[in-house]
Amino acid sequence: MSEIVTLPKAKRNVKISQSNELTQAAYYLSLQAKRVLWLCLMQTYHEDEHDGVFHIKVADYQKYFNVSQATASTDVKKGVDVLSDSSVTFYFSEGEYEQRKLPWLAEAGLKRGRGQWSLEFNYKVMPFLLGLTREFTTYSLYDCGKINSVRVIRLYESLCQFQSSGIWVTTSDWLAERYQLPRSQQSNFAEMKRTFIMPALKKISETTPISASMSETDEGKLIFTIVNKTKQNS
């Protein structure tokens, strides 16, 4: 059995920058696919230019997510398969299109005998991954990597986007659409609150540097109050 590698915390604290358009997009990816996407976003953090091909190593997945080599190999393949078969919907306040639905990838190839995949993203998705100079959110892979629910991760990313203001106002319909929540939660807010929102906020508060609470207005708005625990304790 392959040994699980534990990386020192300081080295695991790798930054990811994600455009707010991607944070606000509608999509659902498996945990493996989300992690593969993170490994791609890591490669763009310090880069303004990129040829559009990302190299995903099984060894990196093993290192950052603290799993065995066999699990990493299986997870990366599953993640690549999901990205290859999935699409993402972006929403715009300006321009010709109100929304655009795009496939994630143009091509995925496994390097023979190297334990490495090469991913080429759809060229229309690339602007949301590269050259981020405005309206983007930065967070740590070490923090979000401890969350094992994809929809909790999506909520964490949204909360990170509004850390500076400390307030995020949205609706249950927005959450249902963008996170592609199960039908039982889409049609019943009490169920969404009980089985998704409140457990998700609890998990985020326990495992990340931020905590958040939610209140509801008479008009049906959801108000998330966000606190950065690191700044609060400094």
Side-chain angles (χ1 to χ4, degrees), residues 13-227:
N13 198 22
V14 179
K15 295 292 186 180
I16 298 169
S17 285
Q18 179 167 292
S19 68
N20 288 351
E21 291 96 337
L22 183 56
T23 299
Q24 296 168 5
Y27 67 87
Y28 177 79
L29 296 174
S30 67
L31 181 62
Q32 296 92 342
K34 185 64 175 174
R35 286 176 169 177
V36 169
L37 179 60
W38 279 336
L39 293 179
C40 294
L41 291 174
M42 281 173 51
Q43 295 174 39
T44 70
Y45 183 68
H46 295 293
E47 298 181 21
D48 292 325
E49 296 183 3
H50 197 279
D51 63 4
V53 179
F54 297 84
H55 305 290
I56 304 301
K57 298 178 181 178
V58 170
D60 286 342
Y61 190 103
Q62 178 186 7
K63 177 174 66 175
Y64 289 118
F65 302 113
N66 195 26
V67 298
S68 69
Q69 183 181 27
T71 298
S73 180
T74 300
D75 280 5
V76 170
K77 183 180 186 306
K78 287 180 179 178
V80 170
D81 286 345
V82 170
L83 281 170
S84 297
D85 296 335
S86 300
S87 61
V88 54
T89 301
F90 293 97
Y91 296 80
F92 305 97
S93 57
E94 299 176 349
E96 180 182 0
Y97 296 105
E98 180 179 337
Q99 59 179 268
R100 293 167 65 196
K101 186 173 183 178
L102 304 170
W104 285 101
L105 299 183
E107 184 176 66
L110 176 62
K111 297 257 185 180
R112 192 179 303 278
R114 294 189 183 179
Q116 176 178 305
W117 287 83
S118 293
L119 305 185
E120 182 177 353
F121 278 77
N122 176 356
Y123 76 96
K124 292 186 177 181
V125 172
M126 286 300 296
F128 303 105
L129 306 181
L130 293 178
L132 306 181
T133 57
R134 55 185 290 275
E135 296 184 348
F136 63 90
T137 301
T138 299
Y139 53 93
S140 167
L141 178 63
Y142 175 72
D143 298 325
C144 59
K146 293 182 288 188
I147 304 174
N148 292 322
S149 165
V150 174
R151 291 187 174 102
V152 176
I153 290 168
R154 293 294 312 274
L155 180 59
Y156 174 67
E157 291 172 339
S158 294
L159 294 172
C160 284
Q161 182 182 340
F162 293 92
Q163 271 192 91
S164 58
S165 66
I167 295 290
W168 174 35
V169 181
T170 187
T171 65
S172 59
D173 287 343
W174 191 96
L175 294 177
E177 178 185 33
R178 303 304 172 92
Y179 300 172
Q180 298 187 356
L181 297 178
R183 189 166 300 176
S184 60
Q185 295 175 352
Q186 292 181 25
S187 59
N188 187 331
F189 175 66
E191 180 73 3
M192 181 192 299
K193 182 179 178 181
R194 183 182 68 84
T195 61
F196 170 58
I197 296 176
M198 301 315 292
L201 293 178
K202 183 174 184 292
K203 182 69 174 178
I204 289 168
S205 294
E206 290 173 348
T207 59
T208 78
I210 67 173
S211 62
S213 59
M214 186 203 72
S215 59
E216 306 160 50
T217 69
D218 293 338
E219 294 78 25
K221 299 286 187 180
L222 307 181
I223 302 176
F224 289 88
T225 303
I226 306 153
V227 175

